[in-house]
């Protein structure tokens, strides 16, 4: 049996959990999934106090490839030390892709805790909905509708304002409409689509900075880009059903050749729909995966013409071809079970007969 400490950052909860576990010999291991990252050191303290093996599931990297904000280098160094101590306590670490594994090993040189890769695809079909398989869009509006769901954010580095502390710069990559906006404003993309009888409409559903809206307005592209705040999942699925293609964005604008070791879970959901995917992606696991998919059109996010060509190729298809998934479907539950069996094989309850 496993105990998941996804919310055990509270000191009070740590203490009560440790007391509860001391009398529970049936709990053989602890599993913590992060983010929230503060759960990692909390779970490590509980593991040490109760002498149980700990498995750390890093869905995102904490200090190796930070997505969050650290107010100063002093804070970052302290949190990095705390993370290392926790990972050294762990019996096993799980990451979502090989890029993340390499980044973690490079960041914490000498770390001996075993690291395994288990993708975050959801394990099986049906993660988008019960047997979700959207029909081809039945619209007569002439739009070539490209849908982006999730969060947009800039790659601008964060800086500290805390007195004498030196600022900490973080290149966390970017998920921005910039590649698509450049394609619309710097190439003949809109004219080429017009010749096909299509009008490009990029629909963004989720959270986005005001700078993205300002960029669209400054280019006079309001007709071609629509923003919608977060909506219920049922409405997102309805939007997917009406979309001609789905859009993925991820790139490091500061270091173009640097892989971004993130694999958004929505990549697998996009694939499950069978919709064509336009991927303006830099190096990394998402691009590697989509390179294996026939319905994906990959492009160079720094080259407006490449983005334009990918969109035109996708729009040229008569209709989305819905087919069975052609991407690897690892046995995630089986892999996790093997890891837990390994870490618990040497666990001997203190009160065992």
């Amino acid at each position: 049996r496993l105990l998941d400490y996804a919310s055990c950052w509270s000191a009070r909860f740590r203490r009560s959990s440790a007391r509860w576990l001391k009398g529970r010999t049936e709990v053989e291991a602890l599993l913590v999934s992060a983010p929230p990252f503060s759960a990692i050191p909390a779970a490590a303290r509980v593991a040490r106090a109760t002498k149980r093996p700990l498995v750390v599931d890093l869905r995102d990297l904490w200090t190796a490839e930070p997505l969050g904000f650290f107010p100063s280098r002093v804070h970052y160094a302290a949190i990095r030390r705390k993370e290392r101590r926790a990972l050294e306590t762990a019996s096993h670490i799980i990451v979502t892709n090989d890029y993340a594994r390499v980044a973690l090993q490079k960041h914490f040189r000498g770390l001996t805790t075993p690291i395994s890769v288990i993708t975050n695809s959801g394990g099986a079909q049906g993660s988008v909905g019960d047997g979700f398989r959207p029909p081809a869009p039945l619209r007569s509006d002439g739009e070539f509708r490209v849908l982006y769901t999730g969060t947009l954010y800039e790659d601008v580095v964060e800086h500290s304002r805390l007195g004498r502390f030196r600022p900490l710069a973080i290149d966390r990559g970017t998920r921005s409409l910039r590649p698509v906006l450049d394609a619309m404003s710097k190439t003949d993309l809109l004219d080429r689509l017009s010749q096909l009888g299509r009008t490009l409409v990029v629909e963004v559903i989720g959270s986005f900075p005001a700078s993205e809206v300002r960029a669209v307005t400054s280019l006079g592209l309001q007709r071609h880009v629509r923003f919608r705040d977060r909506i219920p999942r049922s409405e997102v699925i309805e939007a997917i059903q009406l979309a001609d293609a789905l859009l993925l964005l991820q790139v490091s604008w500061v270091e173009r050749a640097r892989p971004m070791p993130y694999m958004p879970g929505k990549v697998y959901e996009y694939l499950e729909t069978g919709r064509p995917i336009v991927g303006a992606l830099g190096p990394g696991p998402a691009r590697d995966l989509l390179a294996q998919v026939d319905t994906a059109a990959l492009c160079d996010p720094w080259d407006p013409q490449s983005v334009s060509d990918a969109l035109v190729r996708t729009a040229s298809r008569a209709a989305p071809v819905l087919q069975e998934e052609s991407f690897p479907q690892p046995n995630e539950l089986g892999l996790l079970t093997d890891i837990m069996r390994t870490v618990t094989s040497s666990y001997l309850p203190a009160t065992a007969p």
Side-chain angles (χ1 to χ4, degrees), residues 72-117:
S72 76
R73 296 180 185 276
V74 173
H75 292 80
Y76 174 78
I79 292 174
R80 180 180 177 179
R81 288 193 298 270
K82 181 174 290 189
E83 181 185 13
R84 174 155 195 149
R85 286 196 300 270
L87 295 182
E88 288 173 341
T89 297
S91 299
H92 212 102
I93 301 169
I94 299 170
V95 294
T96 61
N97 60 81
D98 282 318
Y99 290 90
R101 177 181 57 79
V102 172
L104 193 64
Q105 291 172 332
K106 182 179 179 181
H107 187 62
F108 293 120
R109 295 190 184 278
L111 181 67
T112 59
T113 307
I115 304 174
S116 295
V117 174

Side-chain angles (χ1 to χ4, degrees), residues 140-215:
S140 58
D141 51 20
E143 292 181 353
F144 172 50
R145 190 174 299 179
V146 180
L147 176 66
Y148 178 88
T149 64
T151 302
L152 294 176
Y153 55 77
E154 293 290 343
D155 65 308
V156 179
V157 295
E158 310 280 6
H159 293 285
S160 167
R161 300 297 182 189
L162 299 182
R164 296 177 300 168
F165 289 159
R166 296 174 59 191
L168 174 66
I170 299 175
D171 173 22
R172 58 177 189 167
T174 184
R175 293 177 187 170
S176 169
L177 289 179
R178 191 188 317 180
V180 178
L181 298 182
D182 285 348
M184 284 193 277
S185 61
K186 298 180 180 180
T187 74
D188 59 351
L189 169 62
L190 299 180
D191 290 338
R192 293 168 69 188
L193 289 175
S194 179
Q195 293 173 7
L196 296 174
R198 312 294 294 275
T199 300
L200 177 62
V201 174
V202 178
E203 186 172 18
V204 177
I205 298 178
S207 60
F208 41 85
S211 58
E212 293 286 311
V213 180
R214 289 196 299 269

Side-chain angles (χ1 to χ4, degrees), residues 52 106 171 223 249 271 276 278:
R52 283 175 172 81
K106 182 179 179 181
D171 173 22
R223 177 191 174 195
L249 303 163
L271 287 167
V278 178

